[in-house]
């Protein structure tokens, strides 16, 4: 386990990436381009890797270090969002409303002497969904949503989908399937009854073949999301190769790197089932630009966002 002495004081303005295999992420090559484009002089990025569901003390050491180190300005958190909230929420001066509601932290920042925690995923996942889900899709087709995994990403998407501002254009049913019960029970506590127009089902599927069975019950024009981390943080897919996607549906692999077996499974059925398949690249862009904007206090939207997206691809 790390101790405080294992973290070196930052000598330049630093944003941290708290994840599992951060060195493999495109952001390590992309961030220097973004820093130059945004005029963030000398700013650097560093990764902090933990195994999923690490000891609370390990998370607290990292979060306390960032808090006390003057040039450590903040962090993006992936995979550990819920665990980090549960172990470290008392270390922050401010928790934004989404962080409190979802019980997760995806962004750490400092502002006006406050140490601040945010849950940015309802915003970033919403922006990513709006990029590929057709306008009035739910109202026009009556499809459902299957979220494989009950972690922070699924909670954030559920919050996004159930906003009252969408009126009738909401999925009639959202199914959250997870292999362990505690996260599923927590998702139910947070989400049940959010929007009376949306039925939530929380399904305990300990094995991929159980997910196959849940998938088979979806109507056409649904959305199926791999929000498990399998394919990136761990090998494999939450489905088996025998799975059957509903016709005319949207399939979203929220990872953009790794083996992406789930995406390959959908690709094998794309023509026969008339599927639209999206990877996690746009989600990656929105997720990171939301956090960079918060940590460095620079607006990122419109032409600036388009430029950063182009730099990331380049």
């Amino acid at each position: 386990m790390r101790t405080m002495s294992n973290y070196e004081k930052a000598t330049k303005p630093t944003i941290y990436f708290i994840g599992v295999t951060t060195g493999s992420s495109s952001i390590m090559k992309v961030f220097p381009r973004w820093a130059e484009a945004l005029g963030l002089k000398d700013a650097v990025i560093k990764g902090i890797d933990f195994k999923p569901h690490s000891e609370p003390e390990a998370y607290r050491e990292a979060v306390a270090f960032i808090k006390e180190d003057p040039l450590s300005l903040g962090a993006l958190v992936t995979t550990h969002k819920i665990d980090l909230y549960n172990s470290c929420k008392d270390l922050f001066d401010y928790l934004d409303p989404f962080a409190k509601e979802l019980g997760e932290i995806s962004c750490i920042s400092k502002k006006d002497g406050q140490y601040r925690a945010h849950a940015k995923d309802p915003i970033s996942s919403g922006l990513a969904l709006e990029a590929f889900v057709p306008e009035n899709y739910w109202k026009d087709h009556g499809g459902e949503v299957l979220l494989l995994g009950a972690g922070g990403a699924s909670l954030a998407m559920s919050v996004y989908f159930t906003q009252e501002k969408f009126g009738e254009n909401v999925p009639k049913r959202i199914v959250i399937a997870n292999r362990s019960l505690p996260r599923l029970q927590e998702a139910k506590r947070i989400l049940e009854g959010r929007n009376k127009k949306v039925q939530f089902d929380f399904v305990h599927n300990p094995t991929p073949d159980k997910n196959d069975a849940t998938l088979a019950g979806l109507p056409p024009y649904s959305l199926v999301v791999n929000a498990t981390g399998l394919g990136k943080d761990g090998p494999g897919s939450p489905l088996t190769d025998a799975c059957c996607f509903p016709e005319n549906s949207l399939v979203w692999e929220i990872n953009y790197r790794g083996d992406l077996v789930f995406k390959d499974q959908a690709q094998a059925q794309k023509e026969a089932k008339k599927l639209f398949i999206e990877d996690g690249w746009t989600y990656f862009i929105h997720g990171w630009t939301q956090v960079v904007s918060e940590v460095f206090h620079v607006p990122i939207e419109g032409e600036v966002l388009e430029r950063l997206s182009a730099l990331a691809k380049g």
Side-chain angles (χ1 to χ4, degrees):
M1 186 187 297
R2 292 180 177 86
T3 64
M4 290 292 287
S5 62
N6 292 131
Y7 291 100
E8 295 182 4
K9 289 178 67 70
T11 57
K12 298 179 179 180
T14 302
I15 182 172
Y16 294 88
F17 179 12
I18 299 174
V20 178
T21 55
T22 58
S24 302
S25 175
S26 295
I27 197 63
M28 295 307 188
K29 294 180 180 178
V30 168
F31 181 79
R33 300 176 211 157
W34 285 4
E36 183 178 359
L38 293 169
L40 304 176
K41 186 178 180 182
D42 297 329
V44 297
I45 186 168
K46 292 183 179 180
I48 300 175
D49 290 349
F50 295 110
K51 294 179 180 178
H53 312 307
S54 287
E55 291 296 317
E57 292 81 4
Y59 295 124
R60 289 183 67 84
E61 286 166 358
V63 171
F65 166 76
I66 296 170
K67 181 177 184 176
E68 299 301 328
D69 187 50
L71 286 177
S72 294
L73 303 185
L76 179 141
V77 183
T78 185
T79 304
H80 312 286
K81 289 175 262 193
I82 294 173
D83 290 319
L84 193 139
Y85 176 90
N86 289 334
S87 58
C88 303
K89 59 181 180 288
D90 63 298
L91 296 176
F92 294 94
D93 304 306
Y94 169 82
L95 295 162
D96 81 2
F98 280 141
K100 291 178 181 178
E101 181 178 11
L102 296 175
E104 69 168 56
I105 294 169
S106 64
C107 172
I108 296 170
S109 71
K110 298 176 179 179
K111 184 178 181 181
D112 299 331
Q114 285 189 323
Y115 196 39
R116 298 164 65 88
H118 320 261
K120 293 292 187 181
D121 275 8
I123 300 169
S124 54
S125 66
L127 291 167
L129 283 160
E130 288 166 12
F132 73 87
V133 177
E135 193 173 356
N136 293 318
Y137 186 77
W138 309 111
K139 185 177 180 181
D140 290 347
H141 299 295
E144 301 177 359
V145 175
L146 172 58
L147 300 174
L148 296 166
S154 287
L155 295 179
M157 284 180 234
S158 298
V159 167
Y160 166 79
F161 281 128
T162 52
Q163 293 176 93
E164 294 291 344
K165 70 178 184 179
F166 293 138
E168 299 297 322
N169 187 40
V170 293
K172 63 182 181 180
R173 186 170 75 120
I174 296 176
V175 182
I176 298 181
N178 200 57
R179 61 186 177 186
S180 64
L181 274 172
R183 284 279 165 91
L184 204 60
Q185 292 166 341
E186 182 67 1
K188 183 176 183 179
R189 183 190 69 78
I190 293 169
L191 297 171
E192 199 166 45
R194 275 192 60 86
N195 186 321
K196 62 183 179 181
K197 299 183 181 71
V198 181
Q199 174 188 334
F200 272 101
D201 287 343
F202 302 89
V203 182
H204 181 214
N205 286 345
T207 56
D209 61 298
K210 299 292 186 183
N211 284 330
D212 287 0
T214 302
L215 178 70
L218 296 181
Y221 295 98
S222 289
L223 167 66
V224 184
V225 183
N226 176 24
T228 65
L230 290 177
K232 179 175 77 73
D233 296 334
S237 165
L239 301 171
T240 77
D241 288 342
C243 69
C244 185
F245 287 92
E247 291 187 353
N248 295 298
S249 288
L250 310 172
V251 181
W252 191 17
E253 167 58 87
I254 70 168
N255 301 311
Y256 75 93
R257 62 182 174 91
D259 293 338
L260 306 186
V261 177
F262 173 86
K263 184 182 176 185
D264 293 339
Q265 290 168 332
Q267 200 71 38
Q269 300 180 36
K270 180 177 180 179
E271 291 188 13
K273 297 297 183 66
K274 300 175 183 174
L275 304 176
F276 177 88
I277 303 169
E278 178 80 359
D279 67 16
W281 182 253
T282 302
Y283 192 23
F284 166 80
I285 295 295
H286 284 299
W288 269 103
T289 53
Q290 287 284 321
V291 173
V292 169
S293 177
E294 190 74 54
V295 170
F296 292 98
H297 311 296
V298 291
I300 300 176
E301 56 190 4
E303 292 183 2
V304 176
L305 178 63
E306 290 177 11
R307 184 182 179 197
L308 296 190
S309 181
L311 285 171
K313 291 178 182 176

